[in-house]
Amino acid sequence: MPAFVLYGSRTSTNTMRVRLTLAEGNITDYELVLLNLLKGEQKSEEYKMRHPWGKVPTITFPDGFTLHESRAICKYLATKYSIPLLPPSSDAEATARFDEAQSVEIFYFADPVQKLAFEKFIKKFMTGGAPDEKVVADSLQALETYFDAAENLLQKRSYMACENYTLIDLYYIPLMLRLFAVGHGDLITSHKAVNAWYDRCLSRPATQRILAADKEAAAAADGKK
Ligand SMILES: N[C@@H](CCC(=O)N[C@@H](CS)C(=O)NCC(=O)O)C(=O)O
């Protein structure tokens, strides 16, 4: 029996965050149960007992311990399996810097990227609707402001929270990839320090393993069509 089950989806950026964390720790003793989000499998009454909002990812352990919210899951797994992606809990300043960087990632980066990706990518699958150009323009404006600030920060620091790669850097990867997928990778490549940081994140062996696994899965899915 695997140590725990991860419920997720291959197209889910939030699930990818958890898979990247597990890859960093070389943790393979888990079962990945893939839900079909387009079919609404995440909204079944059975699944909503694990995640009241009917979203992925969720992890469940054989003793019944169940957790949702990708960042909470990543932090829990890093703590449980001693994956060295967190500041030492005894270092109050480093922990505060980590929390600060997490808040920046969620509110100034992930929020506008998710709105942009919804309008330009997800909406057509879910509703067939055209992008709301005002939401697109506002999100792009917010991201330009964000990347200018990130550029300043990364000219002084190697990674988002400190001099080492932490969970915060990892949290960015799935939505950075999504930005390229929706045609706005120039926001990254036009910022020299951001681009260099992103290359460092992408070149990590754990990131490369997850990207290769997803490429393989996508090719297999295409082959079945
Ligand atoms: N804040 C949550 C967001 C979870 C989330 O929005 N997951 C998406 C996939 S990336 C989902 O399940 N979408 C399907 C739905 O909302 O029905 C997290 O970080 O885990």
Side-chain angles (χ1 to χ4, degrees):
M1 186 198 251
F4 62 91
V5 178
L6 166 61
Y7 293 89
S9 151
R10 285 238 180 248
T11 56
S12 154
T13 52
N14 291 295
T15 304
M16 188 186 197
R17 211 169 270 136
V18 176
R19 292 170 55 232
L20 284 166
T21 303
L22 291 164
E24 284 287 341
N26 285 311
I27 313 290
T28 52
D29 181 21
Y30 70 95
E31 184 188 359
L32 175 61
V33 173
L34 296 171
L35 303 187
N36 187 326
L37 303 185
L38 287 176
K39 284 192 184 153
E41 288 176 357
Q42 73 282 18
K43 305 294 185 206
S44 73
E45 285 313 311
E46 193 229 340
Y47 181 72
K48 277 166 78 181
M49 284 163 65
R50 300 184 192 100
H51 193 313
W53 282 269
K55 291 176 185 289
V56 294
T58 301
I59 53 167
T60 305
F61 283 76
D63 66 2
F65 179 71
T66 298
L67 193 65
H68 56 83
E69 294 309 300
S70 59
R71 294 169 185 81
I73 296 172
C74 295
K75 204 165 173 187
Y76 169 73
L77 292 170
T79 306
K80 184 175 173 73
Y81 292 107
S82 303
I83 307 170
L85 295 173
L86 288 168
S89 55
S90 57
D91 187 335
E93 280 72 30
T95 300
R97 205 47 92 207
F98 180 93
D99 292 345
E100 177 186 62
Q102 172 164 294
S103 201
V104 167
E105 184 269 324
I106 294 173
F107 294 105
Y108 307 145
F109 170 74
D111 180 62
V113 178
Q114 278 164 338
K115 286 182 180 144
L116 187 64
F118 179 78
E119 292 301 328
K120 295 197 77 167
F121 179 69
I122 301 166
K123 199 171 181 176
K124 67 170 174 282
F125 291 110
M126 289 183 75
T127 67
D132 178 330
E133 292 306 334
K134 164 103 175 73
V135 176
V136 170
D138 288 351
S139 304
L140 285 173
Q141 175 69 59
L143 284 168
E144 270 162 30
T145 304
Y146 166 75
F147 277 111
D148 287 347
E151 179 70 14
N152 277 336
L153 185 128
L154 290 167
Q155 281 169 358
K156 300 182 200 97
R157 216 190 260 170
S158 303
Y159 289 97
M160 290 293 185
C162 58
E163 282 306 317
N164 303 317
Y165 183 78
T166 68
L167 276 183
I168 305 298
D169 304 288
L170 177 156
Y171 291 166
Y172 277 90
I173 295 173
L175 288 176
M176 286 285 198
L177 292 165
R178 193 52 63 87
L179 260 186
F180 277 99
V182 298
H184 292 288
D186 57 313
L187 283 165
I188 297 155
T189 53
S190 62
H191 290 88
K192 202 166 164 231
V194 170
N195 200 36
W197 160 82
Y198 183 54
D199 279 349
R200 290 196 289 282
C201 295
L202 279 194
S203 64
R204 293 182 68 82
T207 315
Q208 287 298 316
R209 286 203 301 280
I210 294 297
L211 291 177
D214 283 352
K215 204 168 162 192
E216 205 174 298
D222 273 355
K224 279 190 202 150
K225 279 181 192 161

